[in-house]
Amino acid sequence: MKLSVLNLAPLRDGDSFKDAIDAMVRLAEKTEEFGYTRYWIAEHHNMKSIASSATQLLIQLTLSNTKNIRVGSGGVMLPNHSPYLVAEQYGTLETLYPKRVDLGLGRAPGTDGQTARALRKTRDLNPNFEKDLSELKGYFKDTNSVHAYPAAGIDIPFYILGSSTDSAYLAAKLGLPYVFASHFAPAMMENAVAIYRHYFKPSEELDEPYVILGANAIVADTDEEAKKLSTTQLQSFLNIVTNEQKGLQPPVQSEEAVWKNYIAAVKVPHFGPIAFEHDEIISHEREVVEQMTKVSFIGSKETVSRQIADLKRRVDFDELMINSYIYDEKAQHYSYKLLAEVIKEKFQK
């Protein structure tokens, strides 16, 4: 089983964008040292707590500070971009760093509707993703009437990103590797992977289906320490659900403390001397957050090994791509180190 990294370049509480980008590079250097296969950087817009808006620039910076690890887009949200410009940009990256660039491609905007319209300069937010993919491929194959240099003739691997069954059918039809976003949208994971494998058609790019699963991971020496560190992740997903654009928050003592702090700070209404019940207030937010973070490996090496094995029994995947919301940078690096040890010791033949 291969092991890779997904990084959204989040700001930690009090960080500047430069701080977040510097941390992104340091994590790439560390995970290359630990033997990770690839390091992908996401595309998000209009989010003051995430530094990954100009993804191709961050990819170039990461490539320039590493030697062997593959670096790519997780992904290029293709409807936001001209396929021609994507070909020029990623053709240039592959020219500068041969055999090290991946091109993950998605159909989502990576932002809200208003920002998507600003990006695309149109009110049509439902462009033809398959057509755009075909055009992009044509620039690299140099089969289009217009040529995109230096992309023309360059072989760069495409990956289809998705969080639904629609993307599974498309990846299968085109015979491309499939990357499922189970690190934040796991609801359709098992169904989508099954559809992709069932309908996969071999292509010149790929003989057999290849599945990468996104997952969250927080590994520490003990289950207790990992659970405490994971409260940063819990706060991050709660902020997503409530649209609170905050940087990564320091961990608190327990998961329950996160919900108590949330209630105290935001939600507790009183009628005279009587407060509403804690569970009544947080039930919706908690349900959504728990669903979003379902595919999370949290614990010691032994615990995480069992959790990965459980997932492997349910879903047939070839590679894990790990996102890690840990406030303390050294603890984050150590978590990735321990996870690499788990995979090497338990899941590599």
Side-chain angles (χ1 to χ4, degrees), residues 304-314 347:
V304 165
S305 178
R306 290 194 297 271
Q307 292 168 347
I308 295 173
D310 287 343
L311 181 65
K312 187 68 174 168
R313 280 190 287 271
R314 292 191 291 118
F347 297 97

Side-chain angles (χ1 to χ4, degrees), residues 6 40-43 55 72-78 90 103-106 161:
L6 176 66
W40 281 9
I41 301 164
E43 176 186 335
T55 315
S73 56
V76 169
M77 299 297 101
L78 190 54
Y90 283 82
L103 188 46
L105 298 155
L161 279 59

